[in-house]
Amino acid sequence: MRILFEAREDEFLSSLAMKSRHSQGRRYPEDPAPTRTCFQRDRDRVIHSKAFRRLKRKTQVFIASESDHYRTRLTHTLEVAQIARHLSRSLFLNEDLAETIALAHDLGHTPFGHSGERALHDIMKNEGGFEHNRQSLHIVDSLEKKYPFFDGLNLSAEVRHGLLKHQKNINAFNEPYIITLESQVANLADEFAYHTHDIDDGITSNILSIDALKSVQLYKECYLNIKTKYSSLSDQELKTLIQSDLLTLFITNTIQTTQEIILNNTLQTHTDIYKFSSPIVTVDSELREKINELKGFLFKHLYKHPTVSEMNEKGMTIIRGLFTYFSTSPEKLPSRFQPSSTNQRSLNRNITDYIAGMTDTFAQEEYKTLVSSSLT
Ligand code: MG
């Protein structure tokens, strides 16, 4: 069965796609799976991991318990995977690889979104800092414990490299950096997903409005596009259709732009991909400019809004409080996070790993039980 899947990849995929039988393999050699390619197997390992299940209780932008319809890290991740598969399929790239990178890309996120990441980074800034992409790799390489013969999920090299996104030069590998178009797809899919769903959640929360968003060129174009197609729409219908139009625009522009780049530069082999200095899977410069305007708007009116900032502050307080608590009472750490030596550096890294893995709800409960109770 696997051989058939591999043969199908040879037959259907672009010469620029990462074929599973050309994978550079796993850190700990394993026999190939009889019914799955290596990337299909990796995808299944990610979905069955504990870190993946914890994504359901981690914040994307809004605290999930406040509305059933806000994105969580899990639903964000599923949207990224859906977009990544769509783009890969349309570009004749390896869907399984792009999907796996997408499903694993946010495993390293802390509770309370980027504010949690900032708090941990500040605490650890003199000891290597904290960065969620690097943490995603650390989880799949070491922290997940499932198999008797190795730590981590032992994923294929192309998936592991795909998790480090923007950090080409990061010193995390002892092997040459692997660039695949599938990792570029997953990276862009992440961006498309959060732009569109943050608008949606922003409107749901009443922080943003369709009227205010119309000051952004890109949003206005989609708004007018929908308005000319449908004469009367409720606000809810309008919001949903604009969002869908925006995502379609992102995807169609990417497919066209990428095909043009490949054609105009006669990109045919993996060596061509390595020689190309900028991303190959991308949007055109006109759309990039408009996306930048949208980003600026969201930053100012959503991510920096007092309601969102207040939630972020609360999250940071919880993380700082937990860190201080475990530094002074390391014996309260679960046994698997107990440091093997008395070295403060390794203790701090273990506390970081433990806190970063927490869900919002677990961190809140731990803070209530361990920290607030000792303050009263
Ligand atoms: Mg993401």
Side-chain angles (χ1 to χ4, degrees):
M1 181 82 79
R2 173 179 48 80
I3 311 260
L4 269 176
F5 288 142
E6 288 173 351
R8 201 169 63 179
E9 287 182 359
D10 283 336
E11 200 179 329
F12 285 109
L13 297 187
S14 148
S15 61
L16 298 172
M18 182 65 227
K19 316 271 167 63
S20 41
R21 71 186 178 84
H22 296 146
S23 167
Q24 294 189 25
R26 305 176 187 280
R27 293 199 299 166
Y28 306 95
E30 292 182 67
D31 289 336
T35 54
R36 294 170 292 174
T37 68
C38 59
F39 300 135
Q40 289 168 346
R41 189 186 212 181
D42 287 352
R43 177 197 52 212
D44 300 348
R45 286 185 176 186
V46 170
I47 289 178
H48 289 278
S49 68
K50 280 188 175 170
F52 187 77
R53 293 199 289 284
R54 290 198 299 267
L55 294 175
K56 74 174 178 214
R57 296 230 171 100
K58 290 199 177 200
T59 290
Q60 181 66 27
V61 173
F62 294 94
I63 307 276
S65 56
E66 292 179 3
S67 161
D68 287 341
H69 296 135
Y70 288 146
R71 269 69 177 184
T72 63
R73 282 273 158 218
L74 181 63
T75 58
H76 160 72
T77 293
L78 296 175
E79 289 183 29
V80 177
Q82 178 269 317
I83 298 167
R85 288 186 54 185
H86 184 165
L87 282 172
S88 296
R89 199 180 311 125
S90 308
L91 293 165
F92 296 91
L93 298 174
N94 195 321
E95 263 186 70
D96 297 319
L97 174 57
E99 182 185 13
T100 308
I101 297 169
L103 290 172
H105 89 283
D106 268 355
L107 291 180
H109 259 294
T110 61
F112 313 115
H114 283 282
S115 58
E117 178 172 20
R118 262 198 309 279
L120 272 186
H121 179 70
D122 284 348
I123 297 167
M124 293 296 288
K125 64 176 177 292
N126 296 325
E127 297 177 38
F130 179 87
E131 200 278 325
H132 75 270
N133 294 313
R134 220 173 353 150
Q135 190 70 5
S136 298
L137 184 71
H138 185 40
I139 287 172
V140 301
D141 274 358
S142 310
L143 294 180
E144 279 288 319
K145 310 275 182 212
K146 281 193 87 162
Y147 302 99
F149 305 113
F150 47 77
D151 285 342
L153 302 175
N154 199 28
L155 302 181
S156 308
E158 293 73 17
V159 175
R160 295 173 53 240
H161 282 248
L163 294 180
L164 289 185
K165 294 197 202 184
H166 327 285
Q167 307 173 60
K168 239 181 184 179
N169 302 319
I170 199 160
N171 191 19
F173 300 110
N174 291 323
E175 63 245 53
Y177 193 80
I178 302 172
I179 304 169
T180 61
L181 294 193
E182 288 80 358
S183 71
Q184 295 185 7
V185 160
N187 200 8
L188 208 54
D190 183 25
E191 192 190 345
F192 294 166
Y194 65 69
H195 288 325
T196 47
H197 68 47
D198 287 353
I199 292 175
D200 192 46
D201 286 354
I203 297 175
T204 305
S205 69
N206 290 322
I207 290 177
L208 301 178
S209 67
I210 294 177
D211 265 345
L213 276 155
K214 278 191 315 199
S215 68
V216 179
Q217 173 76 11
L218 191 55
Y219 195 84
K220 190 177 167 188
E221 284 172 21
C222 295
Y223 169 86
L224 293 174
N225 199 15
I226 296 302
K227 275 292 204 189
T228 49
K229 274 193 205 155
Y230 305 94
S231 53
S232 81
L233 290 171
S234 69
D235 280 356
Q236 179 63 34
E237 289 164 336
L238 184 61
K239 176 186 88 160
T240 313
L241 288 172
I242 295 174
Q243 166 151 344
S244 157
D245 199 55
L246 187 58
L247 193 50
T248 305
L249 173 74
F250 286 154
I251 290 172
T252 45
N253 186 292
T254 305
I255 295 168
Q256 199 182 338
T257 308
T258 305
Q259 282 170 339
E260 278 168 16
I261 291 175
I262 292 172
L263 210 65
N264 296 344
N265 296 282
T266 353
L267 305 179
Q268 285 170 337
T269 65
H270 282 249
T271 315
D272 296 337
I273 297 178
Y274 279 83
K275 280 189 196 151
F276 207 73
S277 53
S278 48
I280 294 163
V281 182
T282 187
V283 293
D284 65 26
S285 54
E286 194 188 326
L287 181 55
R288 177 48 65 194
E289 230 170 83
K290 289 178 187 170
I291 291 176
N292 287 342
E293 188 205 357
L294 172 66
K295 262 186 186 172
F297 178 92
L298 290 176
F299 191 78
K300 190 167 163 200
H301 298 281
L302 180 62
Y303 307 134
K304 289 283 166 198
H305 188 276
T307 311
V308 176
S309 300
E310 196 189 315
M311 290 188 303
N312 289 344
E313 270 309 317
K314 271 190 206 157
M316 290 170 99
T317 305
I318 291 175
I319 285 187
R320 288 191 209 108
L322 285 172
F323 201 100
T324 308
Y325 175 83
F326 288 116
S327 324
T328 47
S329 313
E331 72 285 356
K332 294 285 168 48
L333 283 168
S335 58
R336 57 183 292 245
F337 289 97
Q338 296 283 343
S340 48
S341 69
T342 49
N343 177 324
Q344 187 67 31
R345 239 183 133 83
S346 81
L347 170 64
N348 287 350
R349 189 49 68 185
N350 284 17
I351 297 172
T352 302
D353 286 342
Y354 181 47
I355 294 178
M358 291 180 180
T359 60
D360 294 9
T361 29
F362 186 76
Q364 276 161 340
E365 285 305 313
E366 284 285 273
Y367 184 79
K368 230 192 285 172
T369 318
L370 302 173
V371 185
S372 317
S373 61
S374 65
L375 294 176
T376 51

